[in-house]
Amino acid sequence: MGNPPLSIFQVSGRAMSAQLLRMNTTASNLANAGTVASSPEAAYRTIKPVFRSAFDEASGLSTVDVEQIVTAGSEPTKRYDPGNPLADKDGNVWESAVDETRELVDMLESSRTYQNNVEVMQTAKQLIVDTLKLGR
C-alpha cells in the first residue's frame, strides 16, 4: 500500500518550510554582502535553494521540496586595497558580489509566500471548525 494522501496542512507546511529555508539563505547572503577575502576561492558566493515540485497522486495535490542549495550569481569582484589585512601580495582583495536589492526582493517575496501559506492553514482550520459546528 502506498503513502496516505497529503492533507492541505502537509502541503502548506512543506511550502512554509521551503520558504523559511529561502529566507534563511537570503539572510545569509545579505549578512555577507560587502565581505572581502584574500582570494576568489575564499570569497563568499550567493547561495540559493533549488525547489522541486512533487505531485501526490493520492490527493491530487502538488507540493514543493528543497532539492539542494547551490551557489549562484556573479563572481567575486577584485578590488585594489593594499591597506586591507586580507590583501594578497599584489594588494588585491575579492569582494562578494551579493546584489542587495535582489536579495531584499527575494526576502519580501518569500515572506509573503510564507504568510500566504499561513493563511491557507488558518482558512482550512476555520472551515473544519465551522463544519464541526454544523453537526451540533
Side-chain angles (χ1 to χ4, degrees):
M1 187 168 171
N3 293 333
L6 290 175
S7 72
I8 190 68
F9 296 106
Q10 291 169 314
V11 171
S12 289
R14 288 168 96 175
M16 288 168 63
S17 293
Q19 292 305 320
L20 182 60
L21 183 67
R22 183 178 173 200
M23 282 191 274
N24 286 337
T25 57
T26 302
S28 179
N29 293 337
L30 286 169
N32 285 287
T35 59
V36 295
S38 57
S39 71
E41 296 79 25
Y44 182 82
R45 286 179 167 68
T46 303
I47 56 175
K48 298 287 181 188
V50 175
F51 298 118
R52 177 178 40 89
S53 62
F55 180 72
D56 180 47
E57 289 185 27
S59 66
L61 299 174
S62 289
T63 187
V64 66
D65 293 311
V66 176
E67 189 170 89
Q68 62 181 334
I69 297 176
V70 298
T71 57
S74 304
E75 291 294 313
T77 306
K78 182 168 78 170
R79 186 179 73 204
Y80 184 69
D81 187 3
N84 192 310
L86 294 175
D88 65 8
K89 62 180 175 29
D90 298 324
N92 295 315
V93 293
W94 280 262
E95 185 174 357
S96 63
V98 175
D99 183 347
E100 294 174 76
T101 303
R102 177 181 288 163
E103 295 302 321
L104 288 170
V105 169
D106 279 354
M107 181 72 78
L108 182 62
E109 184 179 293
S110 60
S111 174
R112 286 186 176 166
T113 303
Y114 186 93
Q115 182 59 38
N116 288 343
N117 280 287
V118 168
E119 290 177 21
V120 166
M121 291 180 108
Q122 289 173 338
T123 300
K125 178 184 152 199
Q126 189 59 49
L127 288 171
I128 290 169
V129 169
D130 290 347
T131 302
L132 291 172
K133 286 179 183 177
L134 288 174
R136 286 185 187 179

